[in-house]
Amino acid sequence: MEITLSSADAAFQSDVRSFIEAALPGDIKSKVELGQHLEKDDYVRWHKILHTKGWAAPAWPVEYGGTDWTPLQRHLFEEELARASTPRLMPFGLSMVAPVIMAFGDAAQKQHFLPRILSCEDWWCQGYSEPGAGSDLASLTTKAVPDGTDYIVSGAKTWTTLAQYADMIFCLVRTSSEGKPQTGISFLLIDMHSPGITVRPIRTMDGGYEVNDVFFDEVRVPQANRVGEENKGWTYAKFLLGHERTGIAAIGRSKQELRQLKVIAAAEAAGDGSLAEDGAFAGKMADLEIDILALESLVLKIVADEAAGRTPGAEASILKIRGTEIQQRLSELALEAIGYYANPYIAEAQEAGWNEPPVGPEYAATVAPHYFNWRKASIYGGTNEIQKNIIAKMVLGL
Amino acid sequence: MEFTLSDEQVLFQESVESFTAKQYDADKRRALSESEDGFSRAHWAHFAELGWLGLGIEEAHGGLGGTALDMAVLMEGFGRALVLEPYLSSMVMGGGALELAASEKQKSALLPALGGGALLLAFAFAEPRARYDLAKVATIAEKCGGGYLLRGHKSVVLHAASADKIIVSARTAGGVGDKAGISLFLLERAAPGVNLQSYPTVDGGRAAEVVLDEAVVTEYDLLGQEGQAHAIIEAVIDRAIIAVCAEAIGIMQTLIEMTRAYLDNRKQFGIPIGKFQVLQHQLVDMYMAHELSKALTYRAAAAIASAESAARARAVSAAKVQIGKAGSLVGQQAIQLHGGMGMTDELPLGQYFKRLTMIETLFGNTDHHRRRFAALPET
């Protein structure tokens, strides 16, 4: 066991760091630092910069435009992206649908979709949850009925993140009602510009607009857009869940937010000194920092296991649970730290380019909305309770 | 960066498992715990043969030159079976103090016997009014002729009564609470003026109050530079913390396995209670706490050999906080999930819980190490 970086990895880290520093546009960096809303163009610009460098999808095989980096190098890359306050790369194409297409798609699908995902020509979203199918995902009812060489798709998907930007959606749809609910599901790639699709915004309590209802009214989808076999979609969806999971812990992002929290605590007054010097608050920050260190240690262990050829199993569920608990705790302590200035809500200050003087410290404007928004983390991607069911079953055999 | 155990470490792990599987069922442990020493000297001799006692000793003095990480592997195995032998007090602390403070001459005289199992040490650093502050040493070492006269009270000295020699911290200068002016002395346990009030501990071990009433040591019994021992004591205690954290990892794993089995076997409402989601999630919480603790402890163990003192202290305190919180969660939930059976002395469960609970009280509790961590800047 050796916990310091080899000189080659340290050199790699420093190359990545200098590239990002030079390449990240200042306006985007500032928005991320201030927690302001990002627009589609912000995400796309940054994605394309990385794509030009060949770093948009480090985890992909080289033949599809990925890199030959080790799992540790990929981890270091993620950490540097977070450290520099870059916008996160949308996972829906790069790390969700792409691995499924690589593993189960046909030659035409690979040839058409993968380069467009890599270059961010298509924006993808995920069509899993439905109004009646959340944690019990297999009970989904959006139907795909064969019609010649097409399917006719009808139903509704919900909580669809950034569907308002999307060109494509990957969907789980029901193609059979025989047998167990899991056995009648297929995996379809659907053009969001198809006639019959309606996107309806869902406003969240933080005032933001990220998620949507997506309605399908007799939407015609070529059967050529089905990945793999009919009625095998559940298997592909499970494969997707097991793929590239160490990123879910979001260690780099959490470390960056902790740095920001320390800055806030040092700036806020408490008693005769700063909040950072307040024993009770310092203790909470220390607990959180130790939680981050522990989770990071587990991530590094899993990364090492991956490098040794062992595929991580249900450990990913621990990463999801603890990763999101830590993110929520960070948002909670930031809220606590700013005291009274949690109260003002200036909608315009959530966006870039608002030039009025801030109410209270500049860092305070987005803190409460972030706290409210981040309650989602323990709900999305399989609630933390569902993750515990997975661990109970897969690891503990209960 | 490498985050897995070496082949050698895995071999150690297996050898501990095979020893404890034969020697450490609940009945044998109880009998040992109730014996005069509270452990087996035959086991201790066997540990020496297996190379476990020489593990942390420098190769120049007949040891294997192992690291804190190697010792953590051993301690985790000891925790799995609640091994009673005084590895922590004699090897990790006693041996650690010698390694860091003793002269070459002292090492040559002592380390071969220590690694061979012929010499047992105890480390008397704590005092009744010091709580977890290593600088609060009120015991006085007064220069007298060619040596020193020691006066004071050292508290809860683990395995003092079975030790041949006790390493004692005492003040040669300064006032209580000063880091400067603390020295370490090697004291014969049976010397005049060394009074032991020995007692069993709640977790089946042994400790003693050591009252020094004009105990005499010579200048040759001074370990290291006079007045410079604080940093050494801190380094020794940091190693001891890693050792008990690793022991706690082993204990937690055993508690989780026991609880897992109980959830399968115990039936209520006509089904195994492990089918109830509320109980499943509690076991999952225990499992996660253990996995995270293990990853952090081993990372800290790997760090302390190389890191300078502030980084070492940060890593060690982080591990102790994590273990403190995880330990009370895992221990308390294990009892809760066993229901009434968890309360009985019939199951070994309670022994594990008690040891885990006492680890929280050793070398600084969660609050102490949270403060220490918070006071240290990230490097």
Side-chain angles (χ1 to χ4, degrees):
Chain A
M1 190 176 296
E2 177 56 62
I3 50 114
T4 46
L5 288 182
S6 70
S7 56
D9 286 332
F12 171 86
Q13 186 183 41
S14 128
D15 286 351
V16 168
R17 188 172 295 180
S18 359
F19 172 77
I20 296 173
E21 257 169 40
L24 178 64
D27 60 317
I28 298 182
K29 185 181 174 70
S30 155
K31 284 188 196 181
V32 175
E33 278 174 346
L34 292 169
Q36 292 168 338
H37 291 144
L38 293 165
E39 287 164 37
K40 180 178 185 178
D41 176 63
D42 299 322
Y43 291 110
V44 173
R45 253 195 301 160
W46 177 237
H47 185 133
K48 286 184 187 287
I49 290 168
L50 286 177
H51 174 54
T52 306
K53 178 75 178 169
W55 290 357
W60 286 20
V62 175
E63 56 171 313
Y64 295 122
T67 67
D68 56 1
W69 296 349
T70 62
L72 177 62
Q73 287 174 327
R74 298 205 301 264
H75 172 77
L76 294 172
F77 178 66
E78 285 288 328
E79 182 152 308
E80 290 305 316
L81 289 178
R83 192 175 172 279
S85 299
T86 64
R88 74 184 185 124
L89 292 175
M90 285 296 130
F92 308 108
L94 289 171
S95 53
M96 297 174 98
V97 76
V100 174
I101 293 173
M102 286 176 206
F104 306 106
D106 60 29
Q109 289 167 345
K110 289 178 194 171
Q111 207 183 350
H112 178 73
F113 290 115
L114 295 178
R116 298 167 66 91
I117 291 171
L118 192 63
S119 67
C120 203
E121 194 167 341
D122 292 333
W123 184 292
W124 283 78
C125 63
Q126 180 189 36
Y128 274 27
S129 293
E130 297 184 1
S135 289
D136 181 14
L137 185 60
S139 69
L140 58 90
T141 57
T142 294
K143 258 189 322 189
V145 181
D147 182 60
T149 58
D150 295 335
Y151 286 112
I152 306 294
V153 177
S154 299
K157 295 288 176 184
T158 191
W159 313 127
T160 314
T161 301
L162 300 181
Q164 68 266 40
Y165 300 155
D167 304 297
M168 294 293 301
I169 182 169
F170 58 96
C171 275
L172 293 179
V173 295
R174 182 152 304 286
T175 38
S176 165
S177 48
E178 307 282 305
K180 289 203 319 181
Q182 287 84 350
T183 56
I185 292 170
S186 298
F187 196 104
L188 283 191
L189 313 177
I190 303 176
D191 187 338
M192 283 292 284
H193 310 294
S194 311
I197 293 184
T198 317
V199 175
R200 190 181 73 186
I202 302 172
R203 227 3 108 181
T204 43
M205 62 175 150
D206 55 293
Y209 168 31
E210 285 179 332
V211 288
N212 301 271
D213 286 313
V214 181
F215 300 103
F216 298 82
D217 181 14
E218 303 200 338
V219 176
R220 191 164 282 278
V221 180
Q223 289 191 16
N225 277 16
R226 187 190 66 229
V227 176
E229 292 176 49
E230 196 171 73
N231 298 330
K232 290 277 175 68
W234 190 254
T235 314
Y236 311 144
K238 278 204 298 191
F239 168 86
L240 185 159
L241 286 178
H243 203 84
E244 264 296 300
R245 298 295 271 176
T246 52
I248 203 171
I251 282 295
R253 306 261 158 205
S254 289
K255 282 166 78 174
Q256 182 57 23
E257 279 195 34
L258 179 71
R259 286 183 205 111
Q260 175 64 8
L261 177 64
K262 286 181 176 177
V263 169
I264 295 176
E268 288 289 325
D272 296 330
S274 77
L275 186 61
E277 294 154 342
D278 173 86
F281 195 80
K284 290 179 196 175
M285 286 206 298
D287 270 335
L288 182 55
E289 184 166 0
I290 292 165
D291 285 343
I292 292 172
L293 280 173
L295 187 64
E296 181 183 49
S297 306
L298 187 62
V299 167
L300 290 171
K301 179 187 170 289
I302 293 172
V303 163
D305 284 350
E306 271 181 80
R310 289 183 292 272
T311 30
E315 284 139 325
S317 291
I318 305 187
L319 303 187
K320 200 286 174 165
I321 295 169
R322 287 303 289 149
T324 54
E325 285 173 350
I326 284 168
Q327 291 153 29
Q328 291 182 334
R329 184 68 179 147
L330 281 160
S331 73
E332 205 175 328
L333 288 189
L335 181 71
E336 188 178 326
I338 61 171
Y340 276 113
Y341 280 113
N343 286 269
Y345 178 69
I346 313 295
E348 296 84 349
Q350 312 301 311
E351 316 293 335
W354 191 60
N355 292 322
E356 301 296 315
V359 178
E362 192 179 20
Y363 54 68
T366 59
V367 167
H370 178 70
Y371 167 79
F372 293 123
N373 179 269
W374 223 249
R375 304 315 300 163
K376 70 189 177 186
S378 50
I379 298 166
Y380 65 41
T383 64
N384 286 9
E385 289 72 26
I386 288 289
Q387 303 299 335
K388 288 186 181 180
N389 290 351
I390 292 172
I391 296 172
K393 188 172 169 199
M394 309 301 286
V395 183
L396 301 173
L398 289 171
Chain B
M1 178 147 18
E2 192 47 62
F3 222 78
T4 41
L5 294 183
S6 69
D7 294 345
E8 238 177 9
Q9 286 160 345
V10 172
L11 281 179
F12 258 109
Q13 215 169 30
E14 288 166 357
S15 85
V16 178
E17 267 170 38
S18 93
F19 167 79
T20 53
K22 282 189 221 106
Q23 299 299 341
Y24 261 92
D25 67 32
D27 291 338
K28 285 179 181 160
R29 180 181 186 275
R30 194 180 298 262
L32 271 187
S33 170
E34 287 164 3
S35 69
E36 192 186 338
D37 285 324
F39 65 90
S40 158
R41 288 189 186 254
H43 285 349
W44 195 250
H46 188 54
F47 286 11
E49 284 163 28
L50 289 166
W52 297 353
L53 301 189
L55 183 61
I57 292 174
E58 300 153 71
E59 287 172 82
H61 297 287
L64 298 174
T67 61
L69 184 64
D70 297 320
M71 289 167 107
V73 171
L74 207 57
M75 288 299 297
E76 182 183 351
F78 290 166
R80 298 271 285 135
L82 285 189
V83 164
L84 289 160
E85 279 66 29
Y87 193 84
L88 172 69
S89 53
S90 191
M91 306 311 304
V92 178
M93 292 199 283
L98 290 185
E99 183 199 322
L100 295 173
S103 65
E104 278 306 305
K105 198 172 162 199
Q106 287 167 326
K107 286 182 183 178
S108 303
L110 297 166
L111 288 178
L114 186 68
L119 172 68
L120 282 171
L121 297 174
F123 190 53
F125 65 97
E127 299 195 359
R129 300 293 302 163
R131 198 165 169 82
Y132 298 121
D133 186 345
L134 299 175
K136 279 200 174 169
V137 175
T139 297
I140 298 291
E142 185 189 329
K143 264 220 163 87
C144 175
Y148 301 83
L149 272 183
L150 305 186
R151 284 189 215 92
H153 179 173
K154 310 305 285 190
S155 54
V156 199
V157 182
L158 302 176
H159 286 291
S162 53
D164 303 296
K165 292 174 189 290
I166 303 175
I167 298 172
V168 177
S169 63
R171 188 162 288 289
T172 42
V176 178
D178 290 345
K179 286 184 180 175
I182 301 168
S183 304
L184 285 177
F185 297 96
L186 196 59
L187 190 63
E188 291 291 329
R189 191 253 307 150
V194 180
N195 304 305
L196 267 61
Q197 178 203 353
S198 185
Y199 43 80
T201 53
V202 73
D203 54 13
R206 289 285 192 282
E209 299 302 289
V210 177
V211 176
L212 304 169
D213 182 14
E214 309 215 326
V216 182
V217 289
T218 72
E219 58 188 303
Y220 305 108
D221 297 320
L222 176 69
L223 290 174
Q225 298 286 312
E226 188 184 280
Q228 305 293 312
H230 181 267
I232 287 164
I233 296 169
E234 197 177 16
V236 170
I237 296 307
D238 277 350
R239 290 183 185 193
I241 289 169
I242 292 301
V244 291
C245 285
E247 185 187 355
I249 296 297
I251 293 172
M252 286 193 270
Q253 189 178 337
T254 301
L255 282 171
I256 289 167
E257 286 169 8
M258 286 172 168
T259 308
R260 164 77 188 77
Y262 190 77
L263 291 185
D264 250 356
N265 296 333
R266 172 70 175 169
K267 293 194 173 65
Q268 287 289 275
F269 307 101
I271 51 170
I273 60 174
K275 295 291 168 207
F276 298 117
Q277 205 175 35
V278 161
L279 307 193
Q280 288 179 353
H281 285 196
Q282 287 180 13
L283 189 65
V284 169
D285 290 340
M286 294 161 67
Y287 162 77
M288 290 199 298
H290 173 256
E291 287 290 310
L292 291 161
S293 301
K294 184 168 179 168
L296 187 62
T297 296
Y298 274 93
R299 188 181 180 192
I304 74 166
S306 54
E308 44 82 36
S309 67
R312 182 197 74 210
R314 247 177 90 81
V316 167
S317 286
K320 190 68 164 61
V321 169
Q322 171 69 27
I323 289 292
K325 293 198 290 188
S328 65
L329 174 90
V330 171
Q332 291 169 6
Q333 297 272 54
I335 303 295
Q336 177 69 22
L337 290 173
H338 275 78
M341 282 307 291
M343 292 303 299
T344 67
D345 204 29
E346 279 167 49
L347 295 183
L349 187 77
Q351 307 299 321
Y352 283 85
F353 179 50
K354 286 193 277 186
R355 176 64 189 151
L356 193 54
T357 306
M358 289 309 107
I359 285 175
E360 165 67 359
T361 71
L362 298 177
F363 315 127
N365 61 10
T366 301
D367 278 350
H368 173 85
H369 282 285
R370 185 189 289 115
R371 273 193 296 273
R372 185 180 184 226
F373 179 88
L376 292 162
E378 194 177 355
T379 45

